Amino acid sequence: MKKRLIAASLCAALALSMTACGSKNADTEVATEVATTEDTQTEVVPDPDPADCVTKICDYKGIEISLTGDYAVSDEYVNSILESLLVNMGLDAVEVTDRTTVQEGDYVNVDYTGYHNGVAFEGGAATDQMLDVSNNCSVDGMTYIDNFTAGVLGAEVGSTVSSDVTFPEGYQNEELAGEVATFEFVVKGIYQPVTVETLTDDMVAEYMQETFQVSTKEELVAFVRDYVESQNIAQFVQDYVLNNSEYVIPEDYMEFRLSQLEDYYAASYGDKDTMVMYMEMSGTSLEEVREQWRAQLNTQIGSELLFLYIAQLENMEVDEEEYSQMVDSYLQENGGSYSSEEELYSAMGYGDAQNGEEYMHGTYLRNQALAFIIENATLNK
C-alpha cells in the first residue's frame, strides 16, 4: 500500500504541469516533428539532451532526507487532506434516519422554487440542493440571500415549507432588486455533516475500503499520513537535486515551452487578443506574464532535465507494463477527464499527441530516477 502511495506522489512531484517536455528519453533518439498549420513544411521541435544541458549533477546516492521544517508532516495538513478526501469520496454528509425534524447543524436535501408576486421566476428553482440551514448557505459554500433557509429549520421530512426573502437593492436581476420573493422548499432528507472528528469506523468501511483497502478510521489516518510523508520525501529530494546541481536550458527550447503556454492560455480565452485584453484589464501585460512563466519553467524544465539525466546515468529504460499502469493511474485520477490514452497524450502535448506521449515516457523515467534516489537515501524524521 505504501509503495502505491509513493508512486502516486512521484507523479505529483515531477509532473509539475500539463506542459509537454519533448526531452530525449533513454530509449528515444529521434527529434519530434510537427506539421505547421501555415504550410506543408515540418517544424522540428527542440529536443534537448539532458547530458548536454546538465553541467553539474549532485551526489544523489545516499543523501539524508530530513522531514523537518517545511518538510515536516503536520497533523493540520494531514487533517486537511482527510477533509478533502471525505468530500471527494461523497462522505461529507450521511443521512439521518433516527428522526424526521430538521435541527440546527443539519444539512437538508431540498427542491426549491422561487416566486415573485405569485409567479415562479427564471433561475429561481433547483432540485436536490444540499443546504446548510444553520449558516444560510449550500454545503459547497454558496451563500444565499438573508433568511433564505429560515423556513427549513424545524421542518419535517416530506413537508413543503416556505421562506420570504428580500433581494438586495443592487441585485443583478433588476426586476427582483429590492423586491420580496417567496421560496418554497420540498424537504427530502436530513443529513449530518461528517468531519474528521465525527468520522466512524463503519463510515470508513462503507466508503473507503474498496478504494483504499482500509476499514477503520485509524487505518485511514495512517494511510493519509503515509501519503503526505511520501509527498514530502519526494519534494525534499526534488529540491535537493535542484539546489545542488547546475544546468543550462537551451533558449530555443525555453521559447518553445513559453509558446506552448501562451497558446494554451490563449485558447482558454478564445484567442490571443482576448487574453491580452484581460491581462491589460488586470494591470499586466503578456510580456510580464511571459517573464513569470519563464521563471516557473526554469525550475520545472531544470527538474525534468536533471532527473532524466540521472535516469540516463543509471541506464534506466521504460518498462512497458509499469508504464501502462502509470498511464492508467493518470486516467483514473483525473476523474474521467480523458476517455482514452490518445486524449491524455493530446492534453499533455497541447494538442500534439506524439509530443504528449513522449512527455509521459519522460515522466515515467523521472519517476524512476526519483524512486532510485529515495531507495538509496537515509530518512530522518
Side-chain angles (χ1 to χ4, degrees), residues 31-49:
T32 305
E33 295 184 347
V34 293
T36 66
T37 56
E38 300 296 330
D39 49 44
T40 58
Q41 295 180 347
T42 299
E43 176 190 354
V44 178
V45 174
D47 189 23
D49 188 334

Side-chain angles (χ1 to χ4, degrees), residues 129-329:
Q129 295 297 295
M130 193 75 81
L131 306 182
D132 178 350
V133 296
S134 301
N135 295 302
N136 198 57
C137 64
S138 66
V139 170
D140 59 11
M142 181 177 69
T143 301
Y144 293 111
I145 299 169
D146 289 347
N147 211 46
F148 180 77
T149 62
V152 179
L153 191 61
E156 292 289 322
V157 173
S159 67
T160 299
V161 296
S162 61
S163 296
D164 289 335
V165 302
T166 301
F167 283 92
E169 292 292 341
Y171 192 67
Q172 58 189 5
N173 184 336
E174 294 181 358
E175 293 183 1
L176 296 174
E179 294 290 304
V180 175
T182 299
F183 280 89
E184 189 175 84
F185 301 88
V186 177
V187 181
K188 302 169 70 174
I190 302 172
Y191 293 78
Q192 187 67 39
V194 177
T195 66
V196 175
E197 289 72 24
T198 61
L199 185 66
T200 67
D201 290 347
D202 288 342
M203 293 176 189
V204 173
E206 180 178 353
Y207 286 84
M208 308 285 187
Q209 189 166 26
E210 183 177 352
T211 302
F212 301 113
Q213 290 78 56
V214 294
S215 56
T216 67
K217 179 178 177 179
E218 182 180 1
E219 290 176 352
L220 178 64
V221 172
F223 178 88
V224 172
R225 184 170 291 276
D226 281 348
Y227 169 75
V228 174
E229 180 178 296
S230 69
Q231 279 194 319
N232 290 5
I233 288 172
Q235 190 62 58
F236 181 97
V237 170
Q238 180 175 292
D239 292 345
Y240 180 90
V241 172
L242 276 167
N243 293 333
N244 292 279
S245 304
E246 297 176 3
Y247 56 89
V248 176
I249 301 173
E251 185 58 27
D252 64 340
Y253 186 58
M254 174 62 78
E255 284 298 321
F256 167 68
R257 295 285 289 265
L258 284 169
S259 295
Q260 283 189 312
L261 277 177
E262 184 177 318
D263 291 344
Y264 173 77
Y265 283 108
S268 70
Y269 281 96
D271 55 57
K272 182 177 177 179
D273 290 340
T274 304
M275 177 183 71
V276 170
M277 179 187 70
Y278 275 100
M279 287 178 177
E280 292 174 347
M281 289 172 60
S282 63
T284 188
S285 65
L286 178 58
E287 290 72 23
E288 291 173 320
V289 172
R290 279 176 65 92
E291 285 306 306
Q292 295 172 9
W293 290 342
R294 178 181 288 272
Q296 295 166 358
L297 283 172
N298 184 67
T299 298
Q300 180 178 326
I301 297 172
S303 178
E304 294 170 358
L305 292 170
L306 290 167
F307 281 91
L308 280 176
Y309 183 53
I310 292 171
Q312 288 182 356
L313 293 175
E314 299 301 327
N315 298 313
M316 295 177 178
E317 297 181 353
V318 175
D319 180 289
E320 291 302 327
E321 182 176 352
E322 290 184 354
Y323 173 77
S324 294
Q325 291 174 355
M326 185 191 79
V327 171
D328 288 343
S329 72

